[in-house]
Amino acid sequence: MTDAARADDAARTFTVRDIAVLASHIKSARRVTIMTGAGVSAASGVATFRGPQGLWREFRPEDLATPDAFARDPQVVWEWYAWRREQIAACQPNAAHEVIANWAKGVRPQNDPSMGSDHLRRTFVITQNVDDLHVRAGTPGLIRLHGSIWEVSCLARCAAGARPWRDERVPLSPCPPLCPHCGGLARPAVVWFGESLDRATLDAAVQATACDVFLTIGTSSIVYPAAGLVHEARSRGAFTAEINVEATPASSTVDLAIHGAAEQILPLLNE
Ligand code: BJW
């Protein structure tokens, strides 16, 4: 077997023991932190960015997901977001979102259930996803690194419009939408390439890397600073694990890489 074939084979396998090992770490952990990416929403029908069916196969990020792209052609960028909003509006949270929401609400399996719920036993959830399916699944305290496709803000950052507001209209009319405060152009309240993440949000995510178990789920682990969080967690002593249908740059550095679908693996960890 060639190295490539072996890697390919390894990328599609996990063992019952892998599940048992991870389940055991999760049961005995006080603080679990989960970071999710587009793969967690794939089973809901939300397009991922990379991969064979990914958005970046058809569209170039530099044409649609940068401040320069928006400055050049806000109409095209808004049409792309309006189209994605329509797709996402038709999607429902899947089993992965449900398990994560339950853990974040405090219903996480534990070694000794007779101990009852312990306020120190917490599950923190960080997501790169802008689809808000974690919110719709009821995840409390969600840290949204890249914003929300359901929020917009004033491009000119006028005094009243700098803070994002919710706009869940589908279809969007007018498109592009305008700032209700100053009448200028509004923009999607998401983080594009080359833009800084909200400082307080990133700080909260970094704080959440102080945990016993850090799970990175359904992300290609190439977009920073999100991709660095698992390394931060490991350097702070966390047991780190990845759940992904294929190998990523994180696979060789985590303590355990489980190659399977999030919506199938996460329910197994509850058993
Ligand atoms: C499944 C599955 C199933 C499928 N189950 N798994 C350090 C080094 C190098 C570069 C940089 C660096 N620091 C910053 C940068 C620049 C840049 C960056 O990281 N570039 C890299 C691409 C090289 N980062 C930034 O610009 C960030 N800003 C920043 O750092 O500011 C300071 C700064 C700026 C410039 C220079 C230096 C510092 C901002 C990043 C913003 C990312 N924005 C987007 C768009 C959001 C809005 C929108 O949706 O339109 O965020 S891009 C896109 O990628 C989106 C995602 O959140 C993000 C990550 O994608 P994700 O979630 O990983 O999805 P995929 O599709 O890539 O992967 C899906 C995975 O799921 C795959 O692995 C599948 O196998 C798997 N999967 N089904 C489990 N059922």
Side-chain angles (χ1 to χ4, degrees), residues 66-75 77-78 151-165 176-190 192 195:
T66 67
D68 284 353
F70 192 75
R72 264 195 314 271
D73 200 337
Q75 181 74 41
V77 173
W78 259 119
E151 293 180 5
V152 294
S153 61
C154 176
L155 179 67
R157 300 184 64 79
C158 78
R163 225 183 119 159
W165 65 91
L178 302 175
C179 172
H181 307 290
C182 71
L185 200 55
R187 59 160 285 174
V190 299
W192 286 319
E195 290 189 310

Side-chain angles (χ1 to χ4, degrees), residues 36-43 47-51 54-56 61 64-65 80-81 84 94 96 127-131 145-147 149 188-197 202 217-227 242-248 258 260-264:
T36 67
V40 162
S41 296
T48 60
F49 293 91
R50 297 157 189 90
L55 291 166
W56 296 155
L64 295 164
W80 188 61
Y81 278 94
R84 286 175 58 203
N94 65 55
T127 190
Q128 298 169 79
N129 298 345
V130 300
D131 57 34
L145 289 177
H146 296 160
I149 203 165
V190 299
V191 183
W192 286 319
F193 283 116
E195 290 189 310
S196 297
L197 280 67
L202 184 57
I217 309 180
T219 172
S220 53
S221 292
I222 59 172
V223 175
Y224 282 81
E242 172 184 62
I243 300 172
N244 196 305
V245 290
E246 60 185 29
T248 75
I258 293 183
E263 66 280 8
Q264 290 169 359

